[in-house]
Amino acid sequence: MLKLGVMVSGGGTNLQAIIDKINSGYLEGCTVAAVVSSRPGAYALERASKHGIPSVCISKKDHTEPKEYDMALIEYFGKFDVDLIVLAGFLSMFGEDFINRYSNRIINIHPALIPSFCGKGFYGIVPHQKALEYGVKITGATVHFVELEYDSGPIILQKAVPVLDDDTAETLQKRVMEQAEWEILPEAIKLYAEGRLVIEGRKVRIIEK
Ligand code: GAR
């Protein structure tokens, strides 16, 4: 059984997509063992409790020292013997202690085609606002392994989504979620669970079935 530790900050639609894919059998052999939110009122926490998944808010406000924050995360996920950390709309930041503890075992979904519209400050609705401002015709989502620098680790999967003339940041965000994020995040977890991801320098090779 691959035990997932999912980290969230908001609505938790990506967490829901993972739960749905487990329930449908697509993510056979996977379970969401624990959820951590960086924000106390996040709706994602309610989604977790509805599905009987242990969850907690571990906020930076309560752990002002970066090392202390990492330790709190390590301690909580350690209780559940988590194998893979999934950042599903996690909008806070941890440090190298946490990254080293789960070396090559942390993945993130980003709502743009990295290296576009990514890096510090590019989270939530912002990448979509910037994509519209820039006038790109295509955007999308990326799943990647996490390194210390924002949105910088080896890319696992990407999916493109068209930008339409009458898009607002909200309509674009919704399309990117529906057509890309909720698809490629579970797909990346499945590939990981099947042992089919090989990190080779900056690249991730996907082993064919
Ligand atoms: C998602 O669009 C996710 O890609 C984004 O936050 C949203 C969370 O939605 N993550 C980032 O911007 C990380 N840089 P959700 O809580 O409904 O899954």
Side-chain angles (χ1 to χ4, degrees):
M1 186 61 76
L2 186 83
K3 290 183 224 128
L4 309 174
V6 181
M7 298 179 71
V8 295
S9 298
T13 62
N14 279 286
L15 167 65
Q16 190 65 54
I18 296 166
I19 294 169
D20 292 347
K21 295 281 187 182
I22 289 173
N23 291 343
S24 75
Y26 175 81
L27 285 176
E28 207 190 348
C30 295
T31 184
V32 180
V35 169
V36 167
S37 171
S38 63
R39 282 204 310 117
Y43 185 66
L45 286 169
E46 249 176 72
R47 293 185 195 267
S49 78
K50 265 188 206 158
H51 292 273
I53 301 166
S55 63
V56 72
C57 170
I58 304 180
S59 145
K60 276 204 149 166
K61 278 193 193 138
D62 305 325
H63 304 276
T64 42
E65 282 296 311
K67 272 188 177 292
E68 218 188 277
Y69 188 61
D70 283 14
M71 277 319 296
L73 295 174
I74 290 169
E75 201 182 303
Y76 186 71
F77 284 129
K79 283 191 219 165
F80 300 94
D81 208 9
V82 159
D83 301 299
L84 178 69
I85 303 288
V86 180
L87 308 187
F90 181 69
L91 307 181
S92 191
M93 195 53 193
F94 36 71
E96 60 185 334
D97 288 350
F98 186 68
I99 290 183
N100 291 340
R101 171 66 184 81
Y102 289 98
S103 176
N104 294 336
R105 293 193 292 149
I106 309 175
I107 65 172
N108 177 48
I109 179 84
H110 182 73
L113 295 174
I114 290 174
S116 290
F117 312 116
C118 67
K120 198 169 182 341
F122 283 80
Y123 58 84
I125 197 81
V126 178
H128 306 296
Q129 289 166 339
K130 298 291 181 191
L132 289 178
E133 275 170 29
Y134 201 96
V136 292
K137 303 289 187 195
I138 290 170
T139 184
T142 303
V143 186
H144 63 94
F145 282 105
V146 170
E147 290 179 351
L148 205 48
E149 209 174 305
Y150 283 97
D151 304 325
S152 66
I155 290 171
I156 302 167
L157 293 172
Q158 290 188 299
K159 186 162 183 223
V161 172
V163 178
L164 305 183
D165 287 342
D166 58 354
D167 262 333
T168 62
E170 288 74 21
T171 59
L172 184 57
Q173 179 181 45
K174 185 165 179 279
R175 188 174 319 107
V176 169
M177 281 178 160
E178 288 172 355
Q179 296 184 7
E181 295 187 42
W182 302 341
E183 216 177 279
I184 63 173
L185 184 58
E187 190 182 345
I189 295 169
K190 189 178 171 71
L191 290 168
Y192 184 94
E194 291 173 352
R196 293 170 57 201
L197 299 179
V198 184
I199 300 176
E200 294 174 343
R202 274 224 48 84
K203 291 188 184 163
V204 176
R205 185 164 57 84
I206 298 175
I207 299 171
E208 293 297 323
K209 250 192 169 170

